[in-house]
C-alpha cells in the first residue's frame, strides 16, 4: 500500500514538474526577428529646389528709335521737342481703332513747341509690334470703317480719305502702314514715312 502511495506521489510530483516546464516555456517572450536591410526605411532625400529664371525685361522703346533722322531734323529746325504719350494722364493711342486697347510694346510720340503748351500745332506718330493674326484682324476692321487699302513695296497702307480738305497732297488723312512685323501710324499718309522700326538705321 505504501508502495502504491509512493508511486502515486511520485507521479503527482512528476506531473507538476512537467506542467511547470510547459508554463515557463509558454510564458517566455516570443523572439523578435532582427530587422533586415529591406525592412529599414530608406532615408528621404530632400529635393533640390529649382530656381525659376526671371523673365527678361522688354527693352523700352523711345521716340528717337521709332522716328527717322529726317523727322528729327525737321523737329530740330522748328525748335520743337518730342515726348512720349501718355502725358498728364492722357492715354491717346490710334491703335484702339482696331485693337480696342493700347497694344503692349506700342509707343505714341508727339512733337511740338512745348509739352505743357495747349495747342493743336503738333505732330503725332505711333508704332507698335504686331503679329500676322492681329494684323489680319486689324486690316479687316479698318476696311469696314472706310479705310482704303493701298499695296506698296514697303507694306500695306490703310488710309482714310480726307474730308473737307483734311488730308495730305494725295487726299488721305490718318493712315496705318502694316509691315511683316509692325504697324505704323500718322495723322496723314505722307507722314507715315517718318515712322520706322526701332532697329532701322534710317
Amino acid at each position: 500500500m505504501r508502495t502504491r502511495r509512493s508511486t502515486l506521489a511520485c507521479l503527482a510530483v512528476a506531473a507538476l514538474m512537467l506542467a511547470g516546464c510547459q508554463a515557463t516555456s509558454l510564458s517566455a517572450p516570443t523572439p523578435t526577428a532582427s530587422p533586415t536591410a529591406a525592412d529599414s526605411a530608406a532615408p528621404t532625400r530632400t529635393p533640390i529646389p529649382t530656381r525659376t529664371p526671371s523673365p527678361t525685361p522688354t527693352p523700352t522703346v523711345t521716340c528717337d528709335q521709332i522716328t527717322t533722322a529726317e523727322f528729327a531734323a525737321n523737329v530740330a529746325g522748328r525748335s520743337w521737342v518730342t515726348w512720349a504719350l501718355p502725358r498728364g494722364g492722357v492715354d491717346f493711342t490710334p491703335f484702339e481703332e482696331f485693337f480696342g486697347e493700347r497694344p503692349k510694346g506700342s509707343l505714341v510720340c508727339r512733337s511740338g513747341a512745348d509739352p505743357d503748351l495747349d495747342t493743336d500745332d503738333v505732330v503725332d506718330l505711333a508704332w507698335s509690334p504686331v503679329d500676322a493674326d492681329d494684323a489680319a484682324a486689324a486690316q479687316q476692321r479698318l476696311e469696314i470703317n472706310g479705310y482704303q487699302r493701298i499695296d506698296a513695296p514697303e507694306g500695306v497702307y490703310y488710309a482714310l480719305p480726307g474730308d473737307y480738305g483734311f488730308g495730305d497732297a494725295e487726299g488721305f488723312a490718318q493712315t496705318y502702314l502694316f509691315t511683316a512685323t509692325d504697324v505704323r501710324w500718322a495723322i496723314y499718309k505722307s507722314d507715315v514715312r517718318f515712322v520706322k522700326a526701332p532697329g532701322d538705321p534710317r
Side-chain angles (χ1 to χ4, degrees):
M1 188 70 164
R2 181 179 295 178
T3 302
R4 186 173 178 176
R5 287 181 179 178
S6 298
T7 301
L8 291 173
C10 289
L11 290 174
V13 171
L16 287 173
M17 291 181 63
L18 182 59
C21 290
Q22 289 174 348
T24 301
S25 176
L26 290 177
S27 64
T30 304
T32 303
S34 300
T36 62
D39 295 331
S40 301
T44 303
R45 181 173 297 179
T46 303
I48 300 174
T50 56
R51 294 183 61 186
T52 302
S54 300
T56 303
T58 303
T60 302
V61 179
T62 65
C63 290
D64 290 339
Q65 292 174 310
I66 69 155
T67 53
T68 64
E70 179 188 1
F71 181 76
N74 290 342
V75 168
R78 293 190 179 194
S79 298
W80 280 8
V81 292
T82 299
W83 63 95
L85 297 179
R87 182 182 174 86
V90 178
D91 191 6
F92 162 74
T93 169
F95 302 118
E96 291 182 2
E97 179 81 18
F98 45 80
F99 286 130
E101 61 183 358
R102 187 165 191 162
K104 185 177 181 180
S106 65
L107 183 64
V108 182
C109 299
R110 174 167 290 175
S111 298
D114 189 330
D116 298 318
L117 187 63
D118 187 13
T119 175
D120 292 335
D121 191 15
V122 294
V123 175
D124 291 335
L125 302 174
W127 173 89
S128 178
V130 66
D131 60 31
D133 290 339
D134 286 341
Q139 292 170 19
Q140 183 179 18
R141 179 69 178 272
L142 290 171
E143 286 187 8
I144 293 173
N145 290 344
Y147 284 76
Q148 181 178 331
R149 178 186 175 113
I150 304 169
D151 292 291
E154 61 270 26
V156 180
Y157 289 92
Y158 278 85
L160 189 65
D163 296 327
Y164 308 107
F166 181 69
D168 58 14
E170 294 182 71
F172 292 110
Q174 64 173 329
T175 300
Y176 297 86
L177 170 61
F178 290 86
T179 73
T181 58
D182 63 17
V183 56
R184 308 167 190 190
W185 175 91
I187 197 66
Y188 298 107
K189 181 177 181 291
S190 58
D191 286 348
V192 176
R193 74 179 191 276
F194 294 134
V195 186
K196 68 181 184 69
D200 190 334
R202 290 184 300 148

